[in-house]
């Protein structure tokens, strides 16, 4: 189903405030929640037995709301945070009537030569505002930056983002749809595969990337202009001729270095870093490359180790510039020796930001400490070995205060995730159950049986919230069906 956007003048009917009591049967919960959704006023609520969570003394209030705030608290928070940071672009150029009528100027950095000649000489930006701005009624492009090393789950994460926004993208080199365009920053490599082999310079090294061109073209897209962007061909390792990319409502730039260069960062509205620990990264890459590519284990390990110095120098420092970090580590649960990387501990690290985007937290008390076993007690989740643990706490991430949601272990049935969802606050779901629904829609995707997929879905919801906040527009989503078969 394609959701799409509501016009700025449209109004969204809100769900009615109702209580849903935690009960043992999944079917009973689904039927009850489905019957209560999409009525008229403010929030969906629930009560929870305090005995089901091990909570620090500051954790009070036996009841909590799905939106995370009682009415009085919500009014105070709304007053404190104000309205969305809505902005538009200044159209400082004429608007092209068609793509054929557009004229072009060379982009900054197009003459860069890293030893293979001027491989980006044809890169350009349009003199005019792209006609797509008017055709799609784009108020201003919102640009997200997603940084991670290769093989760290960016593709899976971006599929979840598309699902949360209710859109699809093309199968082209640069995936584009009605709402989202995703640009891979590998396209700004200045050395092809042969060149990197001859020079000994890795793709992670800043010398192998054209940051001047990257910054100029992202700035142009944000201004509503079109660009002629180079292509790095992952199949052949060659740098192919340029392609024309137009602005879109949302542009996701993903790759090794979206938050390394200050001029590139200036064009990013909200930033994310996927931080996969070395043991997990190694286990993932060995499994993928041995099965899918027929590589030898010792060759894979040697490749990982050879990249490590450049990763630590050029990629890892971007964590300091990220608004949100998805951290994936070996489990902390009691498992057999050697199984630590088989089960994952995923942390959602939400730093204080200037965008007015508030963190997801547990129960009602933002800032409390929670250590909860959702598998314990009557009516709990059915959790296979080694179980599940959910934690919430505060920490310092670099120089910034951060709220952390931590999910360790594995889930049983995805349908039971509502049991965790109802204990999360400020998720920005449109209705109670949307998070569980999204996990069910991507049930076959990697991470759907553990916290990595759940945290990715939470981050995608925050991306949707920030888009709505920055533009003043609303993403329209379909109502949840009464039964799980409706998925």
């Amino acid at each position: 189903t394609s959701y799409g956007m509501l016009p700025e003048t449209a109004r969204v009917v809100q769900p009615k405030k109702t209580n849903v009591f935690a009960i043992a049967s999944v079917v009973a919960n689904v039927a009850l929640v489905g019957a209560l959704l999409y009525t008229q006023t403010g929030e969906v609520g629930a009560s929870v037995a305090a005995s089901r969570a091990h909570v620090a003394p500051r954790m009070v209030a036996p009841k909590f709301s799905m939106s995370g705030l009682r009415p009085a608290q919500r009014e105070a928070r709304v007053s404190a945070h104000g309205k969305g940071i809505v902005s538009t672009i200044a159209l400082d150029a004429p608007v092209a009537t068609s793509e054929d009528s557009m004229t072009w100027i060379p982009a900054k950095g197009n003459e860069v030569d890293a030893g293979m000649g001027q491989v980006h000489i044809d890169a350009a930006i349009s003199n005019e505002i792209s006609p797509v701005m008017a055709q799609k009624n784009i108020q201003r492009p919102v640009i997200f930056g997603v940084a991670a090393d290769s093989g760290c789950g960016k593709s899976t994460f971006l599929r979840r983002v598309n699902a949360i926004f209710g859109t699809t993208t093309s199968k082209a080199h640069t995936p584009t749809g009605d709402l989202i365009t995703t640009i891979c920053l590998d396209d700004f490599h200045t050395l092809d595969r042969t060149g990197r082999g001859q020079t000994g310079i890795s793709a992670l090294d800043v010398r192998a990337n054209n940051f001047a061109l990257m910054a100029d073209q992202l700035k142009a897209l944000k201004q509503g202009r079109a660009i002629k962007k180079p292509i790095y061909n992952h199949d052949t390792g060659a740098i192919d001729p340029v392609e024309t990319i137009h602005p879109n409502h949302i542009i996701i730039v993903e790759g090794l270095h979206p938050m390394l260069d200050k001029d590139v960062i200036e064009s990013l509205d909200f930033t994310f870093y996927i931080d996969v620990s070395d043991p997990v990264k190694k286990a993932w890459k060995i499994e993928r490359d041995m099965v899918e590519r027929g590589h030898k284990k010792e060759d894979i390990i040697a490749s990982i180790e050879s990249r490590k110095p450049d990763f630590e120098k050029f990629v890892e420092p971007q964590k300091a510039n990220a608004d949100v970090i998805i951290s994936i580590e070996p489990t902390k649960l009691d498992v057999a020796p050697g199984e630590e990387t088989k089960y994952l501990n995923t942390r959602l690290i939400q730093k204080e930001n200037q965008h007015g985007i508030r963190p997801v937290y547990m129960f009602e008390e933002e800032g409390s400490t929670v250590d909860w076993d959702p598998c314990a007690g009557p009516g709990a989740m059915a959790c296979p070995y080694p179980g599940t643990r959910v934690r919430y706490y505060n920490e310092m991430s670099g120089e910034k205060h951060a709220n952390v949601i931590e999910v360790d272990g594995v889930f049983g049935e995805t349908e039971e995730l509502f049991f965790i969802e109802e204990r999360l606050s400020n998720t920005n779901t449109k209705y109670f159950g949307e998070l569980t629904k999204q996990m069910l829609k991507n049930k076959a995707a990697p991470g759907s049986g553990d916290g990595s997929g759940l945290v990715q879905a939470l981050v995608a919801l925050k991306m949707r919230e920030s888009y709505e906040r920055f533009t003043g527009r609303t993403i329209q989503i379909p109502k949840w069906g009464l039964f799980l078969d409706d998925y």
Side-chain angles (χ1 to χ4, degrees), residues 5-249:
M5 290 193 308
L6 286 176
E8 294 175 79
T9 55
R11 301 184 64 184
V12 182
V13 177
Q14 299 295 325
K16 185 177 181 180
K17 181 176 180 180
T18 312
N19 284 331
V20 178
F21 292 91
I23 56 179
S25 168
V26 174
V27 176
N29 269 281
V30 172
L32 179 58
V33 172
L36 295 172
L37 289 174
Y38 287 95
T39 48
Q40 294 181 358
T41 54
E43 62 181 301
V44 179
S47 64
V48 61
S51 60
R52 292 183 187 170
H54 302 289
V55 185
R58 290 169 52 197
M59 184 64 210
V60 295
K63 293 185 178 181
F64 59 92
S65 65
M66 295 307 101
S67 53
L69 298 171
R70 299 188 189 92
Q73 291 176 309
R74 181 179 296 109
E75 290 172 8
R77 292 289 172 83
V78 169
S79 175
H81 289 274
K83 296 181 179 179
I85 307 172
V86 178
S87 63
T88 58
I89 62 167
L91 299 181
D92 57 355
V95 179
T97 56
S98 67
E99 185 169 343
D100 292 339
S101 69
M102 299 174 69
T103 59
W104 302 86
I105 57 172
K108 293 178 181 177
N110 75 315
E111 296 181 346
V112 166
D113 184 351
M116 291 185 56
Q118 296 174 330
V119 294
H120 295 158
I121 194 65
D122 294 326
I125 62 175
S126 65
N127 282 303
E128 302 84 9
I129 301 299
S130 168
V132 170
M133 291 291 289
Q135 293 166 7
K136 288 190 172 184
N137 189 25
I138 300 171
Q139 177 171 295
R140 65 101 156 172
V142 172
I143 304 183
F144 296 116
V146 180
D149 197 4
S150 62
C152 286
K154 292 190 298 293
S155 298
T156 301
F157 170 56
L158 293 173
R159 284 195 294 271
R160 293 190 191 278
V161 171
N162 280 332
I164 292 290
F165 277 93
T167 189
T168 57
T169 54
S170 66
K171 301 293 185 181
H173 173 81
T174 299
T176 300
D178 291 340
L179 193 64
I180 297 175
T181 295
T182 300
I183 295 175
C184 177
L185 295 184
D186 289 357
D187 288 339
F188 295 91
H189 286 341
T190 53
L191 295 173
D192 63 13
R193 191 174 295 157
T194 301
R196 295 196 301 275
Q198 292 173 345
T199 61
I201 298 174
S202 78
L204 291 78
D205 195 309
V206 293
R207 294 174 294 173
N209 295 274
N210 193 339
F211 288 98
L213 178 59
M214 194 186 301
D216 197 43
Q217 294 202 322
L218 289 181
K219 180 180 178 181
L221 287 170
K222 190 136 191 174
Q223 293 173 338
R225 301 170 188 262
I227 63 173
K228 288 186 176 180
K229 177 187 65 61
I231 293 175
Y232 177 78
N233 190 318
H234 287 93
D235 294 328
T236 65
I239 297 173
D240 287 351
V242 297
E243 63 175 345
T244 300
I245 299 297
H246 290 272
N248 210 340
H249 294 278

Side-chain angles (χ1 to χ4, degrees), residues 277-291:
S277 69
D278 283 346
V280 174
K281 189 188 302 184
K282 189 176 293 186
W284 283 359
K285 196 166 180 62
I286 289 172
E287 181 179 2
R288 183 192 70 178
D289 289 0
M290 287 184 67
V291 174

